[in-house]
């Protein structure tokens, strides 16, 4: 084997490892997402709870900022559950779950764990949902902004440590 062939094999192996790393939710990735969102929430003056779930909608990590609302814990976890369960952002679900919408009443299913207002986003690699983020503690607009911020960092690949 020459140097070029070895370099190609090494490059292919690194790419495969990175693809595998990005194809599932891990505790370290969940913590990184939460840390970035908490820093942004602090800048905004929002006392948020941030939850990250895996592809099965199971919580991987939840962080509560000091003096955040007690109720925000369940809301954040349930937003993350909702986005993985339905494979859509909670802000998209809001319109569908409104009176006259095709999913009107869905919030009364799944033991009441479906949240129909903004602040939750699914995290996808290609078409595959690998996890979800739920943010609660601010206004709906603030929670949505923070969840979308997490999604943008995820999609830009800024969360994976090389």
């Amino acid at each position: 084997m020459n140097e070029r062939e070895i370099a190609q094999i090494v490059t292919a192996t690194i790419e495969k490892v990175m693809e595998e790393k990005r194809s599932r939710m891990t505790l370290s990735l969940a913590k990184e997402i939460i840390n970035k969102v908490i820093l942004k929430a602090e800048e905004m003056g929002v006392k948020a709870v941030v939850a990250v779930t895996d592809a099965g909608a199971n919580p991987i990590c939840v962080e509560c900022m000091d003096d955040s609302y007690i109720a925000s814990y369940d809301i954040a976890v349930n937003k993350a559950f909702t986005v993985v369960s339905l494979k859509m952002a909670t802000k998209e679900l809001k319109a569908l779950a409104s009176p006259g919408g095709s999913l009107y009443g869905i919030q009364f299913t799944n033991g009441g764990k479906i949240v129909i207002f903004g602040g939750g986003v699914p995290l996808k690699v290609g078409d595959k949902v690998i996890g979800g983020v739920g943010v609660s503690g601010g206004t709906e607009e603030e929670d949505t902004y923070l969840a979308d911020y997490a999604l943008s960092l995820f999609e830009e690949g800024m969360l994976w440590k090389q």
Side-chain angles (χ1 to χ4, degrees):
M1 251 186 227
N2 63 36
E3 277 187 41
R4 185 170 179 257
E5 291 171 325
I6 293 171
Q8 287 174 337
I9 291 169
V10 169
T11 300
T13 302
I14 290 170
E15 287 174 4
K16 186 173 181 174
V17 168
M18 290 308 292
E19 182 179 326
E20 172 62 27
K21 189 175 181 182
R22 292 181 178 136
S23 67
R24 63 187 180 86
M25 183 55 63
T26 63
L27 178 59
S28 63
L29 178 56
K31 286 181 176 182
E32 190 135 358
I33 291 166
I34 288 171
N35 289 337
K36 300 276 188 198
V37 172
I38 286 176
L39 287 173
K40 184 59 77 174
E42 286 173 347
E43 287 177 19
M44 296 169 58
V46 174
K47 296 173 183 172
V49 176
V50 185
V52 176
T53 60
D54 64 13
N58 301 300
I60 297 293
C61 190
V62 182
E63 292 274 336
C64 305
M65 293 176 67
D66 292 342
D67 204 31
S68 57
Y69 294 113
I70 294 168
S72 292
Y73 182 91
D74 285 341
I75 295 168
V77 169
N78 289 341
K79 285 179 183 181
F81 170 86
T82 299
V83 300
V84 172
S85 299
L86 299 175
K87 300 178 172 65
M88 72 174 73
T90 56
K91 67 182 175 187
E92 295 171 32
L93 180 58
K94 182 178 183 174
L96 297 171
S98 295
S102 62
L103 296 178
Y104 179 65
I106 195 167
Q107 70 272 26
F108 302 114
T109 68
N110 292 274
K113 293 186 347 181
I114 301 295
V115 178
I116 59 169
F117 49 89
V121 293
L123 302 175
K124 298 179 181 181
V125 174
D127 291 335
K128 180 183 173 190
V129 175
I130 68 158
V133 175
V135 181
S136 181
T139 64
E140 181 179 5
E141 292 76 19
E142 290 167 333
D143 292 352
T144 298
Y145 176 84
L146 289 167
D148 287 344
Y149 175 72
L151 179 62
S152 69
L153 293 174
F154 179 83
E155 290 178 340
E156 293 168 13
M158 297 176 69
L159 298 169
W160 286 279
K161 294 178 182 173
Q162 299 283 333

